[in-house]
PDB file of all heavy atoms in Angstrom:
ATOM      1  N   THR A   2     124.306 117.673  50.107  1.00 45.00           N
ATOM      2  CA  THR A   2     125.288 118.073  49.076  1.00 45.00           C
ATOM      3  C   THR A   2     124.644 118.849  48.003  1.00 45.00           C
ATOM      4  O   THR A   2     123.392 118.925  47.764  1.00 45.00           O
ATOM      5  CB  THR A   2     125.863 116.762  48.464  1.00 45.00           C
ATOM      6  OG1 THR A   2     124.788 116.021  47.869  1.00 45.00           O
ATOM      7  CG2 THR A   2     126.530 115.937  49.594  1.00 45.00           C
ATOM      8  N   ASP A   4     124.852 118.387  44.680  1.00 46.00           N
ATOM      9  CA  ASP A   4     124.103 117.755  43.584  1.00 46.00           C
ATOM     10  C   ASP A   4     122.752 117.288  44.058  1.00 46.00           C
ATOM     11  O   ASP A   4     121.822 117.192  43.254  1.00 46.00           O
ATOM     12  CB  ASP A   4     124.977 116.544  43.149  1.00 46.00           C
ATOM     13  CG  ASP A   4     125.275 115.630  44.282  1.00 46.00           C
ATOM     14  OD1 ASP A   4     125.285 116.033  45.462  1.00 46.00           O
ATOM     15  OD2 ASP A   4     125.514 114.376  44.063  1.00 46.00           O
ATOM     16  N   GLY A  21     124.868 103.141  51.705  1.00 91.00           N
ATOM     17  CA  GLY A  21     125.543 101.971  51.179  1.00 91.00           C
ATOM     18  C   GLY A  21     124.698 100.717  51.334  1.00 91.00           C
ATOM     19  O   GLY A  21     125.203  99.612  51.449  1.00 91.00           O
ATOM     20  N   SER A  28     113.615 101.434  52.573  1.00 79.00           N
ATOM     21  CA  SER A  28     112.166 101.437  52.688  1.00 79.00           C
ATOM     22  C   SER A  28     111.730 100.641  53.898  1.00 79.00           C
ATOM     23  O   SER A  28     110.814 101.141  54.657  1.00 79.00           O
ATOM     24  CB  SER A  28     111.572 100.827  51.375  1.00 79.00           C
ATOM     25  OG  SER A  28     110.183 100.742  51.541  1.00 79.00           O
ATOM     26  N   ALA A  60     101.937 108.197  50.553  1.00 49.00           N
ATOM     27  CA  ALA A  60     102.342 106.968  50.015  1.00 49.00           C
ATOM     28  C   ALA A  60     102.749 105.931  51.095  1.00 49.00           C
ATOM     29  O   ALA A  60     102.376 104.704  51.006  1.00 49.00           O
ATOM     30  CB  ALA A  60     103.541 107.144  49.059  1.00 49.00           C
ATOM     31  N   ARG A  67      99.004 102.899  58.290  1.00 60.00           N
ATOM     32  CA  ARG A  67      99.134 103.606  59.495  1.00 60.00           C
ATOM     33  C   ARG A  67      98.945 105.119  59.279  1.00 60.00           C
ATOM     34  O   ARG A  67      99.331 105.628  58.198  1.00 60.00           O
ATOM     35  CB  ARG A  67     100.533 103.427  60.139  1.00 60.00           C
ATOM     36  CG  ARG A  67     100.783 101.995  60.587  1.00 60.00           C
ATOM     37  CD  ARG A  67     100.365 101.820  62.001  1.00 60.00           C
ATOM     38  NE  ARG A  67     101.200 102.550  62.886  1.00 60.00           N
ATOM     39  CZ  ARG A  67     102.358 102.043  63.463  1.00 60.00           C
ATOM     40  NH1 ARG A  67     102.776 100.826  63.124  1.00 60.00           N
ATOM     41  NH2 ARG A  67     103.108 102.775  64.275  1.00 60.00           N
ATOM     42  N   VAL A 118     103.726 115.122  73.193  1.00 94.00           N
ATOM     43  CA  VAL A 118     104.331 115.748  72.030  1.00 94.00           C
ATOM     44  C   VAL A 118     105.790 115.533  72.037  1.00 94.00           C
ATOM     45  O   VAL A 118     106.383 115.211  70.897  1.00 94.00           O
ATOM     46  CB  VAL A 118     104.001 117.234  72.001  1.00 94.00           C
ATOM     47  CG1 VAL A 118     104.834 117.982  70.958  1.00 94.00           C
ATOM     48  CG2 VAL A 118     102.527 117.445  71.737  1.00 94.00           C
ATOM     49  N   LEU A 130      94.113 116.069  69.334  1.00 93.00           N
ATOM     50  CA  LEU A 130      93.412 116.308  70.639  1.00 93.00           C
ATOM     51  C   LEU A 130      91.894 116.098  70.460  1.00 93.00           C
ATOM     52  O   LEU A 130      91.358 116.785  69.562  1.00 93.00           O
ATOM     53  CB  LEU A 130      93.800 117.627  71.163  1.00 93.00           C
ATOM     54  CG  LEU A 130      93.143 118.032  72.528  1.00 93.00           C
ATOM     55  CD1 LEU A 130      93.598 117.093  73.626  1.00 93.00           C
ATOM     56  CD2 LEU A 130      93.478 119.482  72.941  1.00 93.00           C
ATOM     57  N   VAL A 143      85.440 106.679  69.033  1.00 93.00           N
ATOM     58  CA  VAL A 143      85.540 105.269  68.583  1.00 93.00           C
ATOM     59  C   VAL A 143      85.463 105.103  67.067  1.00 93.00           C
ATOM     60  O   VAL A 143      86.212 104.390  66.475  1.00 93.00           O
ATOM     61  CB  VAL A 143      84.463 104.382  69.277  1.00 93.00           C
ATOM     62  CG1 VAL A 143      84.450 102.956  68.709  1.00 93.00           C
ATOM     63  CG2 VAL A 143      84.637 104.378  70.797  1.00 93.00           C
ATOM     64  N   ALA A 151      93.464 107.691  63.241  1.00 91.00           N
ATOM     65  CA  ALA A 151      94.495 107.684  64.230  1.00 91.00           C
ATOM     66  C   ALA A 151      94.860 106.236  64.499  1.00 91.00           C
ATOM     67  O   ALA A 151      93.985 105.380  64.420  1.00 91.00           O
ATOM     68  CB  ALA A 151      94.115 108.428  65.503  1.00 91.00           C
ATOM     69  N   ALA A 154      94.818 105.352  70.748  1.00 95.00           N
ATOM     70  CA  ALA A 154      94.361 106.399  71.629  1.00 95.00           C
ATOM     71  C   ALA A 154      95.120 106.432  72.952  1.00 95.00           C
ATOM     72  O   ALA A 154      95.397 105.397  73.535  1.00 95.00           O
ATOM     73  CB  ALA A 154      92.826 106.295  71.870  1.00 95.00           C
ATOM     74  N   SER A 158      91.144 110.032  81.582  1.00 88.00           N
ATOM     75  CA  SER A 158      89.769 110.037  82.098  1.00 88.00           C
ATOM     76  C   SER A 158      89.651 111.014  83.262  1.00 88.00           C
ATOM     77  O   SER A 158      90.585 111.093  84.156  1.00 88.00           O
ATOM     78  CB  SER A 158      89.291 108.734  82.461  1.00 88.00           C
ATOM     79  OG  SER A 158      89.049 107.893  81.389  1.00 88.00           O
ATOM     80  N   ARG A 184      87.162 100.805  86.990  1.00 83.00           N
ATOM     81  CA  ARG A 184      86.688  99.474  86.751  1.00 83.00           C
ATOM     82  C   ARG A 184      87.650  98.703  85.797  1.00 83.00           C
ATOM     83  O   ARG A 184      88.071  99.294  84.780  1.00 83.00           O
ATOM     84  CB  ARG A 184      85.236  99.495  86.079  1.00 83.00           C
ATOM     85  CG  ARG A 184      84.228 100.145  86.978  1.00 83.00           C
ATOM     86  CD  ARG A 184      82.840 100.257  86.299  1.00 83.00           C
ATOM     87  NE  ARG A 184      81.920 100.896  87.139  1.00 83.00           N
ATOM     88  CZ  ARG A 184      80.648 101.130  86.774  1.00 83.00           C
ATOM     89  NH1 ARG A 184      80.195 100.772  85.644  1.00 83.00           N
ATOM     90  NH2 ARG A 184      79.784 101.711  87.617  1.00 83.00           N
ATOM     91  N   ASP A 192     100.529 104.908  85.984  1.00 97.00           N
ATOM     92  CA  ASP A 192      99.946 105.580  87.116  1.00 97.00           C
ATOM     93  C   ASP A 192     101.042 105.914  88.071  1.00 97.00           C
ATOM     94  O   ASP A 192     102.190 105.554  87.912  1.00 97.00           O
ATOM     95  CB  ASP A 192      98.877 104.687  87.745  1.00 97.00           C
ATOM     96  CG  ASP A 192      97.794 105.462  88.536  1.00 97.00           C
ATOM     97  OD1 ASP A 192      98.001 106.651  88.775  1.00 97.00           O
ATOM     98  OD2 ASP A 192      96.806 104.843  88.919  1.00 97.00           O
ATOM     99  N   ALA A 199     100.961 110.301  99.351  1.00 98.00           N
ATOM    100  CA  ALA A 199     100.239 110.856 100.515  1.00 98.00           C
ATOM    101  C   ALA A 199     100.936 110.548 101.813  1.00 98.00           C
ATOM    102  O   ALA A 199     100.999 111.399 102.785  1.00 98.00           O
ATOM    103  CB  ALA A 199      98.861 110.322 100.591  1.00 98.00           C
ATOM    104  N   ARG A 209     107.497 118.173 110.994  1.00 96.00           N
ATOM    105  CA  ARG A 209     107.772 119.523 111.311  1.00 96.00           C
ATOM    106  C   ARG A 209     106.945 120.011 112.530  1.00 96.00           C
ATOM    107  O   ARG A 209     106.922 121.183 112.890  1.00 96.00           O
ATOM    108  CB  ARG A 209     107.432 120.442 110.158  1.00 96.00           C
ATOM    109  CG  ARG A 209     106.085 120.511 109.550  1.00 96.00           C
ATOM    110  CD  ARG A 209     105.912 121.509 108.532  1.00 96.00           C
ATOM    111  NE  ARG A 209     105.813 122.861 109.061  1.00 96.00           N
ATOM    112  CZ  ARG A 209     106.623 123.807 108.883  1.00 96.00           C
ATOM    113  NH1 ARG A 209     107.652 123.736 108.009  1.00 96.00           N
ATOM    114  NH2 ARG A 209     106.539 125.018 109.444  1.00 96.00           N
ATOM    115  N   SER A 218      90.569 116.460 100.412  1.00 98.00           N
ATOM    116  CA  SER A 218      90.739 115.275  99.517  1.00 98.00           C
ATOM    117  C   SER A 218      90.366 115.717  98.143  1.00 98.00           C
ATOM    118  O   SER A 218      89.713 116.731  97.903  1.00 98.00           O
ATOM    119  CB  SER A 218      89.907 114.113  99.993  1.00 98.00           C
ATOM    120  OG  SER A 218      88.560 114.314  99.622  1.00 98.00           O
ATOM    121  N   THR A 253      89.989 121.607  91.970  1.00 93.00           N
ATOM    122  CA  THR A 253      90.036 122.939  91.450  1.00 93.00           C
ATOM    123  C   THR A 253      90.413 123.956  92.547  1.00 93.00           C
ATOM    124  O   THR A 253      90.180 123.660  93.787  1.00 93.00           O
ATOM    125  CB  THR A 253      88.611 123.384  90.924  1.00 93.00           C
ATOM    126  OG1 THR A 253      87.619 123.368  92.048  1.00 93.00           O
ATOM    127  CG2 THR A 253      88.123 122.407  89.847  1.00 93.00           C
ATOM    128  N   VAL A 274      97.712 121.295 106.812  1.00 98.00           N
ATOM    129  CA  VAL A 274      96.696 120.808 105.884  1.00 98.00           C
ATOM    130  C   VAL A 274      97.432 120.191 104.770  1.00 98.00           C
ATOM    131  O   VAL A 274      98.456 120.579 104.266  1.00 98.00           O
ATOM    132  CB  VAL A 274      95.945 122.073 105.264  1.00 98.00           C
ATOM    133  CG1 VAL A 274      95.004 121.620 104.155  1.00 98.00           C
ATOM    134  CG2 VAL A 274      95.170 122.706 106.352  1.00 98.00           C
ATOM    135  N   CYS A 314     102.203 129.704  93.942  1.00 94.00           N
ATOM    136  CA  CYS A 314     101.756 129.856  95.268  1.00 94.00           C
ATOM    137  C   CYS A 314     102.725 130.786  96.117  1.00 94.00           C
ATOM    138  O   CYS A 314     103.894 130.797  95.854  1.00 94.00           O
ATOM    139  CB  CYS A 314     101.556 128.555  95.943  1.00 94.00           C
ATOM    140  SG  CYS A 314     100.702 128.579  97.580  1.00 94.00           S
ATOM    141  N   ARG A 334     104.921 105.646  74.734  1.00 96.00           N
ATOM    142  CA  ARG A 334     105.779 104.480  74.455  1.00 96.00           C
ATOM    143  C   ARG A 334     105.015 103.190  74.403  1.00 96.00           C
ATOM    144  O   ARG A 334     105.185 102.323  73.556  1.00 96.00           O
ATOM    145  CB  ARG A 334     107.010 104.451  75.368  1.00 96.00           C
ATOM    146  CG  ARG A 334     107.999 103.388  74.892  1.00 96.00           C
ATOM    147  CD  ARG A 334     108.934 103.013  75.970  1.00 96.00           C
ATOM    148  NE  ARG A 334     108.336 102.324  77.130  1.00 96.00           N
ATOM    149  CZ  ARG A 334     108.083 100.995  77.093  1.00 96.00           C
ATOM    150  NH1 ARG A 334     108.369 100.311  75.994  1.00 96.00           N
ATOM    151  NH2 ARG A 334     107.560 100.451  78.098  1.00 96.00           N
ATOM    152  N   LEU A 335     104.247 103.005  75.467  1.00 96.00           N
ATOM    153  CA  LEU A 335     103.407 101.768  75.530  1.00 96.00           C
ATOM    154  C   LEU A 335     102.411 101.640  74.394  1.00 96.00           C
ATOM    155  O   LEU A 335     102.299 100.536  73.856  1.00 96.00           O
ATOM    156  CB  LEU A 335     102.602 101.728  76.843  1.00 96.00           C
ATOM    157  CG  LEU A 335     103.419 101.523  78.147  1.00 96.00           C
ATOM    158  CD1 LEU A 335     102.499 101.686  79.411  1.00 96.00           C
ATOM    159  CD2 LEU A 335     104.196 100.220  78.130  1.00 96.00           C
ATOM    160  N   PRO A 346     101.242  91.584  75.691  1.00 91.00           N
ATOM    161  CA  PRO A 346     100.433  91.590  76.863  1.00 91.00           C
ATOM    162  C   PRO A 346     100.065  92.963  77.306  1.00 91.00           C
ATOM    163  O   PRO A 346     100.780  93.926  77.097  1.00 91.00           O
ATOM    164  CB  PRO A 346     101.364  90.908  77.895  1.00 91.00           C
ATOM    165  CG  PRO A 346     102.718  91.224  77.444  1.00 91.00           C
ATOM    166  CD  PRO A 346     102.686  91.281  75.931  1.00 91.00           C
ATOM    167  N   GLU A 353     107.106 106.420  90.980  1.00 97.00           N
ATOM    168  CA  GLU A 353     107.237 106.710  92.320  1.00 97.00           C
ATOM    169  C   GLU A 353     107.173 108.264  92.584  1.00 97.00           C
ATOM    170  O   GLU A 353     107.739 109.044  91.837  1.00 97.00           O
ATOM    171  CB  GLU A 353     108.566 106.208  92.824  1.00 97.00           C
ATOM    172  CG  GLU A 353     108.722 104.685  92.755  1.00 97.00           C
ATOM    173  CD  GLU A 353     107.714 103.951  93.648  1.00 97.00           C
ATOM    174  OE1 GLU A 353     107.346 104.430  94.713  1.00 97.00           O
ATOM    175  OE2 GLU A 353     107.257 102.873  93.164  1.00 97.00           O
ATOM    176  N   VAL A 358     110.268 119.920  98.866  1.00 98.00           N
ATOM    177  CA  VAL A 358     110.130 120.787  99.995  1.00 98.00           C
ATOM    178  C   VAL A 358     110.376 122.230  99.618  1.00 98.00           C
ATOM    179  O   VAL A 358     111.533 122.583  99.165  1.00 98.00           O
ATOM    180  CB  VAL A 358     111.048 120.332 101.195  1.00 98.00           C
ATOM    181  CG1 VAL A 358     110.950 121.308 102.437  1.00 98.00           C
ATOM    182  CG2 VAL A 358     110.743 118.873 101.568  1.00 98.00           C
ATOM    183  N   ALA A 362     105.654 124.477 103.865  1.00 96.00           N
ATOM    184  CA  ALA A 362     105.684 123.513 104.974  1.00 96.00           C
ATOM    185  C   ALA A 362     107.131 122.924 105.127  1.00 96.00           C
ATOM    186  O   ALA A 362     107.838 122.795 104.107  1.00 96.00           O
ATOM    187  CB  ALA A 362     104.727 122.354 104.732  1.00 96.00           C
TER     188      ALA A 362
END
Side-chain angles (χ1 to χ4, degrees):
T2 61
D4 57 335
S28 179
R67 294 271 291 272
V118 169
L130 182 61
V143 172
S158 288
R184 298 179 181 178
D192 207 347
R209 61 173 286 120
S218 78
T253 64
V274 174
C314 190
R334 186 195 69 79
L335 289 175
E353 296 299 324
V358 179

